Amino acid sequence: AGPTAAWSFKNIPQAGVSRVFILGPSHHVHFRNTCALPQGTTHYETPFGPLILDQGVLNDLRQARGAQGEQLFVALNNSQDEDEHSVEMQLPFLKMMMGEQNFTVVPVVVGSLSEGAEQAFGSVFAPYFEDPATIFLISSDFCHWGSRFRYTHLPDDRDVAAAAGKLVNRPEAAPLNAKIETLDRQGMELIEAQDSPGFRRYLENCQNTICGRNPIAILLEILRQRPQMFPSCPQLRCEFVHYSQSQTMPTRPSANDSCVSYAAGVIQVA
């Protein structure tokens, strides 16, 4: 995962960045239609130095309410925060890239969201997204394939043939990896198209085990809503710059064989 993640991090513009949001999925605690914010934490330690949490923004988010007056954000206690790796894995990369530049971090652990909740959080985060001194990091792997993940869905051969020119896994050399990649690229193309409803339908249809599907869905909602909220906002281009998988799979996998996919994407002004 690290070498692929680096392709995204190397695109971070150091100059002018004073705040970084990190949205990652919750792997250990079930949050339904809500996101969690760290409670009582002032900073995170990394091998390259500390990262300071933005207490002002965190306090503002804690006050956010949904359309029915419901609280959108809940507290993430220290034990839950320490157990969750989705935000943590981004921190050393971020500190390494930013060096001694002064900036703050807003960590957000995203729960399982309905379509309405995705839209609500998109509305909450969109004003921050428009701040030119703020960047967003979205933490996610892509397909977790194999019996151990209870997911063995594959696209048909026609889909693989249609995608062959884009694949890093050659179908004749690694047919199973090529099929997994084809499945991932179907979702990646919808993200690049900034197609929030399309990505939602894709997940409903194929159930791809993208662990960060809810943070990605929030990002797509931000991108969908921003032209309505900020009519003069610049057009953005979303592009995936790297893709890899954890291992080459045998043609006839056993119950112990599995594969995890990684993809690095970047959003920039078009």
Side-chain angles (χ1 to χ4, degrees):
T4 295
W7 281 79
S8 285
F9 279 96
K10 75 174 186 175
N11 285 279
I12 288 179
Q14 294 177 329
V17 174
S18 61
R19 182 186 299 123
V20 180
F21 279 75
I22 307 175
L23 275 59
S26 180
H27 289 87
H28 301 287
V29 183
H30 179 69
F31 299 114
R32 177 63 181 165
N33 287 335
T34 189
C35 293
L37 306 174
Q39 179 113 7
T41 302
T42 59
H43 66 281
Y44 289 143
E45 292 288 348
T46 80
F48 307 109
L51 292 171
I52 308 302
L53 272 60
D54 194 318
Q55 299 300 331
V57 171
L58 289 170
N59 286 333
D60 288 344
L61 293 177
R62 291 184 185 108
Q63 305 307 313
R65 295 294 184 269
Q68 307 302 318
E70 72 277 14
Q71 186 175 0
L72 292 177
F73 294 88
V74 298
L76 189 73
N77 65 42
N78 286 339
S79 176
Q80 293 168 336
D81 199 357
E82 290 173 355
D83 286 343
E84 181 52 63
H85 63 274
S86 64
V87 170
E88 179 183 13
M89 290 182 68
Q90 314 308 315
L91 304 180
F93 286 96
L94 178 60
K95 180 59 178 174
M96 178 67 179
M97 289 303 301
M98 297 295 285
E100 297 306 313
Q101 182 168 328
N102 289 326
F103 69 100
T104 57
V105 175
V106 183
V108 181
V109 176
V110 180
S112 175
L113 305 179
S114 66
E115 180 178 350
E118 293 169 5
Q119 294 169 352
F121 283 107
S123 298
V124 169
F125 288 123
Y128 296 103
F129 187 89
E130 286 307 301
D131 178 1
T134 297
I135 61 174
F136 275 66
L137 300 180
I138 309 300
S139 175
S140 182
D141 293 333
F142 265 71
C143 185
H144 296 60
W145 196 94
S147 298
R148 62 178 290 218
F149 299 120
R150 300 185 180 88
Y151 187 76
T152 54
H153 172 77
L154 291 170
D156 63 35
D157 291 336
R158 289 174 298 177
D159 290 334
V160 177
K166 305 174 185 177
L167 303 180
V168 298
N169 293 286
R170 290 166 45 224
E172 64 275 16
L176 185 49
N177 293 80
K179 288 189 173 185
I180 296 169
E181 183 180 353
T182 298
L183 180 67
D184 282 332
R185 289 201 179 271
Q186 290 170 348
M188 291 160 64
E189 288 176 1
L190 292 166
I191 296 169
E192 288 182 326
Q194 304 177 38
D195 186 349
S196 178
F199 185 68
R200 194 177 298 116
R201 288 192 299 271
Y202 161 81
L203 292 174
E204 289 171 355
N205 291 336
C206 71
Q207 300 293 310
N208 194 357
T209 47
I210 302 172
C211 62
R213 55 194 174 274
N214 291 291
I216 293 171
I218 291 177
L219 174 65
L220 291 175
E221 272 301 313
I222 294 171
L223 296 174
R224 185 184 70 83
Q225 294 181 38
R226 59 188 290 276
Q228 305 159 24
M229 298 176 69
F230 308 98
S232 61
C233 66
Q235 237 184 347
L236 300 179
R237 180 183 74 254
C238 180
E239 179 185 12
F240 280 93
V241 294
H242 197 265
Y243 178 89
S244 65
Q245 294 173 341
S246 58
Q247 67 169 334
T248 301
M249 294 286 285
T251 304
R252 292 183 176 82
S254 71
N256 296 322
D257 290 314
S258 62
C259 180
V260 179
S261 307
Y262 315 108
V266 178
I267 295 176
Q268 297 174 322
V269 175

